[in-house]
Amino acid sequence: MVADELDVKGVEALAVDVGDSLMPWVSMSHVGAANDSLHFWEASYLGESYGLCVMASLVPVEIDEIVPPQQRAAKLLCDKISMNFLTLDNMLANKSVISNKIQRLNINNKEIPNTLWAKLILERLSKTDCIKRGWILVGYPKTREQAIALQEIGIAPEHVVILDAPDTVLIERNLGKRIDMTTGEIYHTTFNWPASSKIQSRLIKPNGITEEETAKELLEYRRVSHGILNSYSKKYHIVNADQPCVDVFSQVLSHVQSRYRSNAPYTPRIILHGPPGSGRSLQASLIAEKYKIVNVSCGQILKEAVAAETRFGEAIKPYVESRQPVPDVMVIKCMSQRLCKLDCSTQGWVIHGFPQDMNQAGMFKDAGISPNRVFFLDVPDDAVIERLTLRLLDPVTGERYHSIYKPAPTSEVYNRCKISPKDSEENVQNALEVYHASVKDLEQFYNPVIHVNADQDPYTVFEYIESHVVKPLSKHTNVFA
């Protein structure tokens, strides 16, 4: 799904940097062998975001000796927007099946398939820190084929910012480049000459920066850049890089942080509130089935953690087995881990049964998880009592019945049916009191919310919910900020 309404506190971006000479906004000494072209975009495969997932990627096509200044540029954005700094090298340093395969191909001087690089990048982006904080990647893609490989695996842009300057300016910048071989720092004879004579004595002129060689690399960049730009033809924004670095960086940052809006479907992040017996779980399953999003049940996740016998599962096992409330801190940790997985980030999610009170809602927000639709299923208390206290369970088949809405098919089945202790009228009344104690505060916390009359046919309820799921949010409302 493609984001239709991004309300980000940071930035989701990918940058395609061909060469290094278009980065004066980082350092006036950063002049390169080829024309830089930084493409920043908000990645739609993370869906609509309100500060949950901030990501970025800075990618040069021609690296050569210019990696340090490019890394400084990327780190500048990382520091400004609080993202993870990634390069192909540090991703390869994280041992995995994919990275080991790439390293073996590299050692044997064999060509590394574009799809393999894309899988390596996606593997790193699937980590919780990248999903929650975002990332800046340096060094990829270099060609249209590589850009297409990223798109095919689900990494697609929303915003593209291109820094450009005349070739004469780029050649001039490149000719003055000097490298400190001890530290790897790059200086410039005009724009960034070191004051220390000791550093000056260590500087050397890198290979491949003559006027003829630079012009050749610029020609190659102009040839391949069209292929990359065509991959994002409707999404790029050009910034003139032949101006003071502060102005360039300000324009880039402003554009990348701007909200992107379109009429395309967004990635749903839905919370269903309602009293017990309001049909939250049924509506969640219908929404998940219709829109192929992840149905997240707080209780089910806790039970799965216990069944998996993980350290976390062992910690919450006494609470689950004794039917006591699991501490909020543990619940938030479990829910956050589930919602940060790639399927939830790419497909969206619907939650029912959580949060139950203001404390949980506040901790949920602090964990960086915000919904973009909150529904309250309204059912009168009398109807809730009727729905729950008349529920029946067949212990033989596991089938559920209701004395009014779904009677047992035969008297034999009816006679063996049982009523769960939690469905006694006293327990239902207690559950309603707990719900009503926090419902007004939750409505105010998530304002604006969508109220649904759930005291009617469940498919009529679903149709009403669906009409609001597909309806774009107000462009003037910062929901759940």
Side-chain angles (χ1 to χ4, degrees):
M1 294 186 180
V2 180
D4 72 333
E5 306 156 81
L6 286 169
D7 185 2
V8 294
K9 296 178 182 176
V11 53
E12 300 178 348
L14 176 62
V16 180
D17 178 8
V18 185
D20 66 320
S21 51
L22 287 189
M23 298 182 65
W25 53 279
V26 177
S27 168
M28 289 305 291
S29 66
H30 183 35
V31 292
N35 182 7
D36 282 324
S37 188
L38 300 183
H39 305 197
F40 297 83
W41 62 66
E42 293 176 333
S44 64
Y45 82 93
L46 282 185
E48 186 178 61
S49 173
Y50 293 90
L52 170 63
C53 301
V54 182
M55 55 178 290
S57 169
L58 174 62
V59 188
V61 171
E62 297 292 339
I63 300 179
D64 299 327
E65 303 89 358
I66 62 177
V67 173
Q70 288 176 340
Q71 291 184 355
R72 287 199 304 272
K75 289 178 179 178
L76 180 62
L77 284 176
C78 283
D79 293 340
K80 185 70 176 179
I81 316 175
S82 300
M83 296 173 292
N84 294 288
F85 177 76
L86 306 178
T87 66
L88 295 181
D89 287 339
N90 65 32
M91 284 189 288
L92 287 173
N94 297 325
K95 300 301 180 183
S96 68
V97 175
I98 298 175
S99 63
N100 290 339
K101 187 174 182 180
I102 291 177
Q103 289 175 344
R104 286 196 298 270
L105 291 173
N106 193 38
I107 292 173
N108 295 326
N109 294 320
K110 294 184 178 180
E111 182 179 358
I112 301 172
N114 295 332
T115 54
L116 198 57
W117 283 118
K119 289 179 180 178
L120 177 71
I121 295 171
L122 184 61
E123 179 183 56
R124 180 64 183 90
L125 301 187
S126 302
K127 302 295 183 181
T128 301
D129 59 341
C130 285
I131 293 174
K132 293 185 68 174
R133 293 179 51 215
W135 45 270
I136 291 185
L137 171 67
V138 179
Y140 205 86
K142 300 179 181 180
T143 64
R144 173 176 169 80
E145 290 71 26
Q146 291 173 345
I148 291 175
L150 290 179
Q151 294 174 346
E152 288 178 343
I153 208 167
I155 304 175
E158 291 299 339
H159 293 323
V160 178
V161 175
I162 304 169
L163 304 187
D164 204 356
D167 287 357
T168 53
V169 173
L170 301 175
I171 292 173
E172 178 186 359
R173 293 175 180 174
N174 204 41
L175 292 176
K177 183 168 68 175
R178 299 294 183 269
I179 298 179
D180 184 343
M181 298 304 294
T182 302
T183 64
E185 292 292 320
I186 294 184
Y187 297 90
H188 194 274
T189 54
T190 303
F191 305 119
N192 187 30
W193 190 247
S196 170
S197 57
K198 184 177 180 180
I199 296 178
Q200 293 177 12
S201 64
R202 297 200 304 258
L203 298 183
I204 65 169
K205 184 177 181 179
N207 296 325
I209 65 168
T210 65
E211 184 172 351
E212 294 75 12
E213 290 170 316
T214 301
K216 183 179 180 180
E217 291 189 36
L218 282 170
L219 183 63
E220 175 63 15
Y221 162 70
R222 301 298 183 192
R223 185 183 69 82
V224 301
S225 63
H226 291 291
I228 297 178
L229 295 184
N230 287 339
S231 300
Y232 314 113
S233 58
K234 297 181 180 180
K235 301 177 180 179
Y236 65 81
H237 173 73
I238 298 177
V239 174
N240 177 23
D242 188 19
Q243 57 181 321
C245 58
V246 174
D247 295 336
V248 175
F249 182 71
S250 175
Q251 292 177 33
V252 171
L253 189 63
S254 175
H255 181 76
V256 174
Q257 289 184 312
S258 64
R259 296 185 187 181
Y260 176 81
R261 298 187 182 278
S262 75
N263 293 323
Y266 68 101
T267 302
R269 298 195 305 276
I270 301 168
I271 289 181
L272 298 180
H273 281 289
S278 59
R280 294 169 302 181
S281 60
L282 173 60
Q283 296 302 325
S285 63
L286 291 174
I287 293 170
E289 182 179 2
K290 176 69 177 287
Y291 294 100
K292 309 303 180 185
I293 63 178
V294 183
N295 186 358
V296 181
S297 168
C298 179
Q300 185 62 31
I301 288 177
L302 295 175
K303 291 177 182 177
E304 290 174 357
V306 172
E309 297 183 348
T310 61
R311 290 181 61 185
F312 178 78
E314 291 297 323
I316 66 173
K317 185 176 182 179
Y319 300 99
V320 175
E321 290 184 344
S322 62
R323 295 184 177 275
Q324 296 296 316
V326 178
D328 288 346
V329 174
M330 293 183 172
V331 177
I332 293 295
K333 178 180 179 181
C334 189
M335 292 290 288
S336 298
Q337 290 177 346
R338 181 65 188 90
L339 296 178
C340 285
K341 289 186 177 180
L342 190 60
D343 59 345
C344 285
S345 297
T346 57
Q347 300 170 30
W349 44 260
V350 55
I351 296 176
H352 56 98
F354 189 89
Q356 297 179 342
D357 54 39
M358 283 297 297
N359 184 53
Q360 291 180 347
M363 295 175 69
F364 213 37
K365 181 180 179 181
D366 292 342
I369 299 173
S370 298
N372 47 38
R373 302 289 189 279
V374 176
F375 294 91
F376 279 79
L377 308 184
D378 299 329
V379 181
D381 287 0
D382 291 344
V384 169
I385 293 172
E386 181 183 90
R387 288 184 181 187
L388 298 183
T389 59
L390 298 180
R391 291 194 302 192
L392 303 171
L393 175 66
D394 185 347
V396 176
T397 64
E399 187 69 24
R400 294 180 180 273
Y401 299 101
H402 192 277
S403 298
I404 297 177
Y405 305 117
K406 187 183 177 183
T410 65
S411 59
E412 180 183 357
V413 174
Y414 178 80
N415 290 333
R416 71 176 184 235
C417 284
K418 305 293 183 182
I419 298 177
S420 172
K422 69 177 183 179
D423 288 340
S424 68
E425 186 168 348
E426 180 182 358
N427 288 336
V428 172
Q429 288 282 12
N430 291 336
L432 284 171
E433 290 178 6
V434 171
Y435 172 75
H436 289 305
S438 59
V439 63
K440 293 299 181 183
D441 290 336
L442 288 172
E443 288 180 16
Q444 186 174 2
F445 182 83
Y446 284 119
N447 185 53
V449 301
I450 303 165
H451 284 275
V452 183
N453 176 17
D455 189 19
Q456 53 185 327
D457 179 79
Y459 292 96
T460 302
V461 175
F462 173 68
E463 289 177 0
Y464 184 81
I465 293 175
E466 185 180 23
S467 69
H468 285 274
V469 169
V470 299
K471 180 181 179 181
L473 289 172
S474 170
K475 296 185 178 182
H476 307 290
T477 304
N478 185 3
V479 183
F480 318 130

